Each structure stands twice: as structure tokens, then as C-alpha cells.
């Protein structure tokens, strides 16, 4: 008689499940940085796919063990993740508001987000966006009212205030180079 079919599933994951969660965590962390929430959600989702008939309690236990394992091995750090994302976002032309929203979606705590975006410079980010999109001082052709409206609304959609968008729009290439040189000196 097969006892495994007659017994209800245990709420405690098997050693094989824990081993899988550990290996899956290592694999994910090696590929890219994760937030605690991202790792928890990924392990939960994959555990449901991998183990047929797994209970919600077992899924939660596996995800919690994966997060604990990552913290124990110093592979998870939401503060570092937020700081790196904020610097990267600024360099790629994202506003403080857009960076904060993205970090919030990834499950980072509000205090951590506030600290990370405090260092971000919206003017520098707006200049990066203008360079990327050939706006303002990086524009190739002449400006008409339609083009001006398009550029200013692109700054607004990216999360920059009207004042910053207008300031970058009216800058000369020399002004931009001066600002970027001053940032590199500090």
C-alpha cells in the first residue's frame, strides 16, 4: 500500500525542495541583483511551477528560506540596490520621480527610496535625456512651436518639472558642457 497518496501534503517543505530553493537563489543572484521582494516572488512563482501539489505554506517557507539564505550570504541588499538604481537612472535620463516609482514597484521601502533619490540630480538627468533624444542644446535642426511643445512634453512625461525642462531646452551646448564638467570635478 502506498502511504504517500493517502497522506495529506505536509506544510513543511522536503529537503529536496529546500535544496532546489537554495540552488535557484544562487542562480538568480548570480545573474543580476534582486530586491527582497523580487527574490521572494520569483522563488514562490517557480516553486509552484516546479512542485506539483505544493501548498501555500510550503511555497512561503521556501521563499522565506531563499531570502534568508541570500541575506546570510550578503547577496541581498535593498539599500545598495536602490542607490545603484538611482545613480544608473540619473545617468540614463530618469527623473527622481521616475526612479522612486520604479523602486517602489520593486518592493523597496519608502525610507530607503527617499535616501537613494536624495543624491540624484534632476538637472543632470534631464540633460542626459536631452542628449539621448536630441533635444534642447543637442537639437540638430531649427525649433518651431510644434517641436518645442514636443520636447517640453517629453520632459514632463519623463517626470521632470516644467522649470527643469524649460531650463534644459533653453541651454546652449557650452552651458551643458560647463554643468557636466562641474559634476565631474566634484
Amino acid at each position: 500500500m502506498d502511504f504517500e497518496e493517502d497522506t495529506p501534503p505536509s506544510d513543511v517543505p522536503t529537503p529536496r525542495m529546500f535544496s532546489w530553493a537554495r540552488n535557484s537563489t544562487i542562480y538568480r543572484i548570480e545573474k543580476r541583483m534582486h530586491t527582497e521582494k523580487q527574490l521572494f516572488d520569483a522563488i514562490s512563482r517557480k516553486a509552484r511551477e516546479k512542485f506539483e501539489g505544493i501548498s501555500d505554506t510550503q511555497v512561503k517557507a521556501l521563499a522565506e528560506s531563499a531570502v534568508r539564505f541570500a541575506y546570510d550570504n550578503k547577496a541581498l541588499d535593498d539599500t545598495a540596490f536602490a542607490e545603484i538604481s538611482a545613480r544608473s537612472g540619473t545617468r540614463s535620463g530618469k527623473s527622481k520621480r521616475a526612479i522612486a516609482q520604479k523602486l517602489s514597484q520593486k518592493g523597496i521601502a519608502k525610507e530607503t527610496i527617499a535616501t537613494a533619490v536624495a543624491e540624484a540630480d534632476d538637472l543632470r538627468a534631464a540633460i542626459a535625456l536631452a542628449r539621448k533624444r536630441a533635444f534642447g542644446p543637442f537639437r540638430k535642426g531649427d525649433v518651431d512651436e510644434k517641436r518645442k511643445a514636443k520636447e517640453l512634453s517629453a520632459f514632463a512625461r519623463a517626470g521632470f518639472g516644467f522649470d527643469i525642462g524649460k531650463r534644459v531646452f533653453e541651454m546652449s551646448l557650452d552651458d551643458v558642457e560647463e554643468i557636466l564638467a562641474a559634476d565631474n570635478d566634484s
Side-chain angles (χ1 to χ4, degrees):
M1 184 169 165
D2 189 10
F3 288 105
E4 288 190 69
E5 286 184 24
D6 295 336
T7 57
S10 167
D11 284 342
V12 178
T14 65
R16 179 175 162 258
M17 289 177 173
F18 280 119
S19 178
W20 169 84
R22 185 180 147 282
N23 292 337
S24 185
T25 300
I26 292 168
Y27 173 78
R28 289 173 190 297
I29 296 296
E30 282 179 345
K31 284 185 130 330
R32 67 180 178 89
M33 277 184 90
H34 284 67
T35 65
E36 182 178 326
K37 181 183 183 304
Q38 285 177 313
L39 182 62
F40 187 93
D41 291 348
I43 296 295
S44 297
R45 185 180 62 253
K46 287 296 183 180
R48 283 189 180 88
E49 291 174 11
K50 177 143 181 83
F51 301 107
E52 191 175 313
I54 190 170
S55 72
D56 288 342
T57 309
Q58 288 174 316
V59 168
K60 185 177 180 198
L62 288 176
E64 286 172 348
S65 76
V67 168
R68 193 171 40 256
F69 174 76
Y71 271 121
D72 290 348
N73 288 286
K74 309 229 183 311
L76 265 187
D77 186 350
D78 282 1
T79 303
F81 184 94
E83 289 169 358
I84 290 167
S85 295
R87 283 193 303 271
S88 174
T90 299
R91 280 192 310 272
S92 66
K94 295 197 178 10
S95 67
K96 287 182 179 184
R97 186 178 303 141
I99 294 167
Q101 182 179 17
K102 190 72 160 176
L103 290 172
S104 178
Q105 290 171 348
K106 292 186 181 287
I108 305 286
K110 287 186 187 330
E111 306 81 42
T112 307
I113 293 171
T115 304
V117 298
E119 300 291 319
D121 181 4
D122 266 353
L123 180 61
R124 189 162 178 32
I127 290 170
L129 178 67
R131 180 185 298 145
K132 190 186 291 187
R133 303 278 304 269
F135 288 167
F138 304 100
R139 185 181 321 105
K140 300 291 185 234
D142 293 332
V143 66
D144 58 2
E145 285 304 309
K146 185 177 176 185
R147 172 92 178 176
K148 181 178 179 178
K150 178 183 174 185
E151 290 182 16
L152 290 175
S153 57
F155 283 117
R157 282 191 307 275
F160 297 106
F162 179 75
D163 55 330
I164 289 181
K166 190 171 185 333
R167 184 172 168 193
V168 173
F169 179 82
E170 294 172 348
M171 284 181 160
S172 71
L173 208 48
D174 291 337
D175 295 338
V176 169
E177 288 172 1
E178 220 174 274
I179 289 171
L180 295 178
D183 285 345
N184 290 336
D185 292 340
S186 55

